[in-house]
Amino acid sequence: PCIRELMTDGYDDMLIRVTLCLPGQFLAAVDTEELRRIFPYGTVDVALQEGGGLFLSGERPSQEGEERLDWMLVAIAHVVVGVADR
């Protein structure tokens, strides 16, 4: 069902749980307060977890003969929306 149909008394009782999985060396760089502000309603709980992936996506030729690698960072976000007990 649509969230609007579940939240008949407004969005104050909405609970949002976000789990963001990233390679460990990137976890400290996540601004969890900024992540919370993405969601305009409800109470937002953010958890960080080691996971995701860091993959070599190819090499770029350099002009001076140095090796230049391109990396791809993959993050996994899991978002659960619920309603607080009344």
Side-chain angles (χ1 to χ4, degrees), residues 32-70:
T32 55
E33 288 305 314
E34 185 68 24
L35 188 56
R36 279 184 182 87
R37 284 193 284 273
I38 291 171
F39 299 92
Y41 305 109
T43 301
V44 181
D45 178 45
V46 175
L48 301 178
Q49 179 177 316
E50 192 166 344
L54 185 62
F55 304 97
L56 183 61
S57 63
E59 290 186 30
R60 294 179 287 150
S62 77
Q63 295 178 345
E64 298 180 16
E66 69 184 48
E67 183 179 40
R68 297 180 65 188
L69 304 177
D70 282 333

Side-chain angles (χ1 to χ4, degrees), residues 6-7 17 21-22 29 36 38 41-44 54 63 73-74 76 78-79 81:
L6 294 173
M7 307 302 299
R17 184 181 323 130
C21 302
L22 295 164
R36 279 184 182 87
I38 291 171
Y41 305 109
T43 301
V44 181
L54 185 62
Q63 295 178 345
L73 173 64
V74 176
I76 301 168
H78 178 252
V79 180
V81 178

Side-chain angles (χ1 to χ4, degrees), residues 7-21:
M7 307 302 299
T8 56
D9 295 330
Y11 296 109
D12 292 338
D13 292 334
M14 182 184 291
L15 301 174
I16 301 171
R17 184 181 323 130
V18 179
T19 303
L20 187 63
C21 302

